[in-house]
Amino acid sequence: MKLNRRHFLKTAGLSAAGLLTSQLPISSAEAVPTKPAAGASVMGLVVPKIDTVRVGFIGVGQRGSGHVKHFCHLEGVEIKAICDTDAQVLDKSIEFVIAQGLPKPARYTGSEQAYKDLLNRDDIDIVIISTPWEWHAPMAIDTMESGKHAFVEVPLALTVEECWQIVDTAERTQKNCMMMENVNYGRDELMVLNMVRQGLFGELLHGEAAYIHELRWQMKEIDSKTGSWRTYWHTKRNGNLYPTHGLGPVSQYMNINRGDRFDYLTSMSSPALGRALYAEREFPDDHERNQLNYINGDMNTTLIKTVKGRSIMVQHDTTTPRPYSRHNLIQGTNGVFAGFPNRIAIEQAGSASYHKWDRDMAKWYAKYDHPLWQRMGQEAERNGGHGGMDFLMLWRMVYCLRNAEPLDQDVYDGAAWSVVNILSEASVNNRSNSVNFPDFTRGAWKSGKPLGLIGA
């Protein structure tokens, strides 16, 4: 969904109080919840089996249109309605559905509130939300309030209060609210989860996660597409703007919210230079991109400490010229796996020497490929989406709903992974002093069951 600069600034002004709050240091008393639960915990939530999953889509731009295409190739689903403020991209997705020989979905557009008309329908079970970040929390809340399950693109929310509102709404309505972290369904990430569950690395000690992805070119998307709204977040916040792609898998390896949880973080940012230099090079002097004050550090490094004492490094850099990386490193007492490129070192059987990296992954895939990938990997690769992870994520969501199984990611995961955005900013703005994490599970993490070998 398109979000131009004027609308962004208008909305930012309306929500200034929320943004201002997120820029202040968060003390322990403010970070740790004391308010009562709004309802029963939704950890491990199982909803009645849905034989045919009826779907509505809000936002079908660059990301959402891909979800529509994948759903056209999933069994047991019906695409009922699609909403977007951009009529052109909306009609393109509708035409794609029709071209697959499927019934024409209902069409909703005309205003930023048109999505509420979609939510008023009584023939939709789940809603896929793929809109600019500022819309994620309100749309997820409205979706659950309408009696539907919410599936939201990353990040889940942009303030601590929004995270709590989403958690409270999920508990009160007993509806799923899953942040769709697709990287958890990548072949390598699933394989490492399998390795961890089999104890290959021993007791886990440390993880490294990142979103290092040069995206300066998005600044040239002025009137539409992702850069038309995402660019402005580099003028609003100085922290880790996008923590979940690398952090999601490492959190699952470490059983975060299922036996351990994030305790506190400290964060620091490099100077913010790259985007201003890029604008100077690529745009005329009087261009709007040269008038912006880019404050988000080109590289942000955040260190997280868990209650059990483990450490996690999380980095964000979408500005500097360097190869893509999510790090995907997990270190245990018996060895280590690191991604980009994949390599492994184990003290015992499996490698010649733990002083040298083993980069031949064929034998590791042969022995440790995750059961879910073994079952659906070829189908996922055939349908595509970041190497198949997108299709596999959506397939797994539908499978769980059709078979009355709990989802692999819940609202507590989405809140914990996303809140790094806000807390990192608070730490950066307070000389990197530590900031406590809210416990969105309200203590349920202590008895939460670790995510098993999904699909096994």
Side-chain angles (χ1 to χ4, degrees):
M1 298 176 74
K2 185 171 74 173
L3 184 68
N4 61 32
R5 180 174 183 267
R6 183 173 64 178
H7 173 74
F8 179 92
L9 295 176
K10 176 183 177 182
T11 307
L14 292 174
S15 59
L19 289 173
L20 179 61
T21 300
S22 73
Q23 294 172 353
L24 297 176
I26 299 176
S27 69
S28 176
E30 292 171 320
V32 179
T34 56
K35 60 181 180 178
S41 172
V42 291
M43 187 173 292
L45 177 67
V46 175
V47 299
K49 183 170 67 172
I50 306 174
D51 292 324
T52 300
V53 180
R54 301 168 299 177
V55 189
F57 293 87
I58 305 175
V60 287
Q62 290 175 290
R63 187 68 177 145
S65 60
H67 293 327
V68 172
K69 292 176 181 177
H70 288 317
F71 266 88
C72 287
H73 299 103
L74 291 173
E75 293 184 3
V77 303
E78 293 179 357
I79 298 176
K80 290 294 187 179
I82 304 177
C83 176
D84 200 294
T85 56
D86 187 325
Q88 184 175 1
V89 300
L90 172 60
D91 290 339
K92 188 175 181 180
S93 281
I94 291 175
E95 290 166 5
F96 182 88
V97 175
I98 296 172
Q100 311 312 304
L102 301 173
K104 180 180 180 180
R107 180 180 186 273
Y108 293 91
T109 190
S111 78
E112 293 170 349
Q113 302 301 315
Y115 77 93
K116 294 182 179 179
D117 294 327
L118 181 150
L119 295 181
N120 285 333
R121 297 176 65 102
D122 59 6
D123 62 348
I124 292 176
D125 301 303
I126 72 172
V127 177
I128 309 296
I129 300 169
S130 308
T131 55
W133 298 344
E134 67 169 29
W135 288 99
H136 290 185
M139 286 178 172
I141 292 168
D142 288 344
T143 295
M144 289 183 285
E145 295 285 10
S146 74
K148 301 166 180 62
H149 302 289
F151 293 84
V152 191
E153 268 300 334
V154 302
L156 185 64
L158 293 172
T159 69
V160 174
E161 183 56 32
E162 281 185 342
C163 288
W164 275 116
Q165 289 171 355
I166 291 174
V167 168
D168 288 346
T169 305
E171 292 180 342
R172 179 166 45 78
T173 62
Q174 291 295 291
K175 294 297 179 183
N176 287 300
C177 182
M178 173 178 152
M179 184 185 72
M180 296 186 293
E181 183 40 76
N182 59 329
V183 174
N184 287 325
Y185 297 89
R187 182 184 186 182
D188 295 332
E189 287 78 9
L190 286 170
M191 180 182 71
V192 176
L193 179 64
N194 191 9
M195 291 173 161
V196 168
R197 291 295 182 264
Q198 295 193 39
L200 186 67
F201 305 112
E203 293 294 323
L204 300 186
L205 304 168
H206 173 74
E208 295 183 10
Y211 187 68
I212 296 173
H213 188 187
E214 192 274 310
L215 294 174
R216 290 172 298 174
W217 53 269
Q218 288 185 341
M219 295 168 64
K220 295 182 178 180
E221 297 174 339
I222 305 299
D223 297 319
S224 63
K225 299 184 178 180
T226 305
S228 66
W229 55 266
R230 189 166 174 171
T231 297
Y232 295 106
W233 284 106
H234 289 266
T235 74
K236 295 292 181 182
R237 285 192 166 168
N238 185 9
N240 188 322
L241 297 180
Y242 204 67
T244 72
H245 281 335
L247 186 57
V250 171
S251 298
Q252 289 192 338
Y253 306 155
M254 289 187 175
N255 294 329
I256 298 301
N257 289 340
R258 295 169 173 82
D260 198 359
R261 75 170 182 89
F262 299 147
D263 190 4
Y264 61 90
L265 65 72
T266 182
S267 184
M268 62 179 63
S269 292
S270 75
L273 301 177
R275 287 186 176 255
L277 290 171
Y278 183 84
E280 182 180 0
R281 186 183 80 199
E282 298 292 330
F283 298 96
D285 291 343
D286 59 351
H287 194 280
E288 184 260 2
R289 290 295 194 244
N290 273 310
Q291 312 308 312
L292 297 176
N293 180 27
Y294 302 98
I295 65 170
N296 193 64
D298 293 354
M299 168 66 81
N300 174 270
T301 299
T302 297
L303 293 175
I304 299 175
K305 191 76 167 177
T306 77
V307 170
K308 287 193 171 182
R310 297 161 173 156
S311 57
I312 306 171
M313 181 187 76
V314 192
Q315 290 187 315
H316 173 271
D317 175 2
T318 60
T319 299
T320 65
R322 58 186 293 182
Y324 180 93
S325 178
R326 295 191 301 271
H327 288 340
N328 193 30
L329 183 148
I330 190 71
Q331 175 72 60
T333 56
N334 199 48
V336 59
F337 178 96
F340 302 88
N342 288 343
R343 55 208 189 276
I344 191 168
I346 301 295
E347 185 171 23
Q348 297 174 358
S351 61
S353 170
Y354 58 86
H355 290 295
K356 295 181 180 180
W357 288 111
D358 182 356
R359 301 178 186 272
D360 178 12
M361 300 307 297
K363 62 179 177 293
W364 300 103
Y365 287 128
K367 187 173 182 179
Y368 292 105
D369 243 346
H370 193 282
L372 183 60
W373 192 267
Q374 292 178 13
R375 175 180 180 180
M376 290 296 298
Q378 290 185 346
E379 181 73 10
E381 288 180 330
R382 183 163 52 250
N383 282 276
H386 294 93
M389 63 175 66
D390 292 353
F391 179 84
L392 188 56
M393 174 184 67
L394 300 178
W395 180 90
R396 178 65 181 168
M397 286 159 40
V398 170
Y399 178 90
C400 290
L401 293 171
R402 297 186 72 202
N403 291 275
E405 293 186 8
L407 298 172
D408 306 322
Q409 303 171 41
D410 59 30
V411 69
Y412 309 113
D413 296 323
W417 304 345
S418 297
V419 81
V420 172
N421 179 323
I422 304 105
L423 303 188
S424 65
E425 181 192 32
S427 179
V428 167
N429 289 344
N430 191 30
R431 292 181 57 83
S432 303
N433 281 307
S434 63
V435 179
N436 290 327
F437 276 85
D439 177 11
F440 294 110
T441 75
R442 296 183 174 94
W445 65 272
K446 298 175 184 177
S447 57
K449 296 181 180 179
L451 180 67
L453 286 180
I454 53 180

